[in-house]
Amino acid sequence: MDDSFYIKVNGTVYEIIPEEDTYTIFKGGIEYTQILKNKNNKWMRIDYKTDLPIVEENKEVEDIGRLIDRYREG
């Protein structure tokens, strides 16, 4: 597992913790959400109760995912 890292989206700092296929996102030091990238390269939130991806448009998740991709690319 990789080390955690920080990104800034629209003035908000998020801590990103990479896991196997998902990323746990902390906002303000508190666990905020988990996201993953599906086979179509779309970033999606994961439902805490079911552990399944939530199919929805979510600009914040897409922005976070875009910056994770940039960070991973180097």
Side-chain angles (χ1 to χ4, degrees):
M1 181 167 69
D2 295 336
D3 292 335
S4 67
F5 57 94
Y6 294 87
I7 61 171
K8 190 173 189 178
V9 178
N10 300 323
T12 301
V13 175
Y14 298 88
E15 181 180 10
I16 311 299
I17 300 179
E19 297 181 21
E20 285 184 32
D21 296 322
T22 64
Y23 293 86
T24 299
I25 313 300
F26 284 78
K27 181 178 180 180
I30 298 169
E31 187 171 340
Y32 179 58
T33 192
Q34 286 187 309
I35 65 173
L36 63 79
K37 192 176 201 179
N38 71 11
K39 294 176 185 172
N40 297 326
N41 290 324
K42 173 102 171 114
W43 286 96
M44 305 171 77
R45 278 189 320 119
I46 297 172
D47 185 289
Y48 279 111
K49 293 178 184 172
T50 65
D51 282 334
L52 296 172
I54 299 170
V55 180
E56 67 179 1
E57 290 294 321
N58 187 315
K59 182 168 175 21
E60 182 182 30
V61 168
E62 292 170 19
D63 289 346
I64 291 169
R66 183 173 34 80
L67 289 176
I68 289 172
D69 285 339
R70 278 193 202 159
Y71 179 87
R72 299 306 239 174
E73 290 168 2

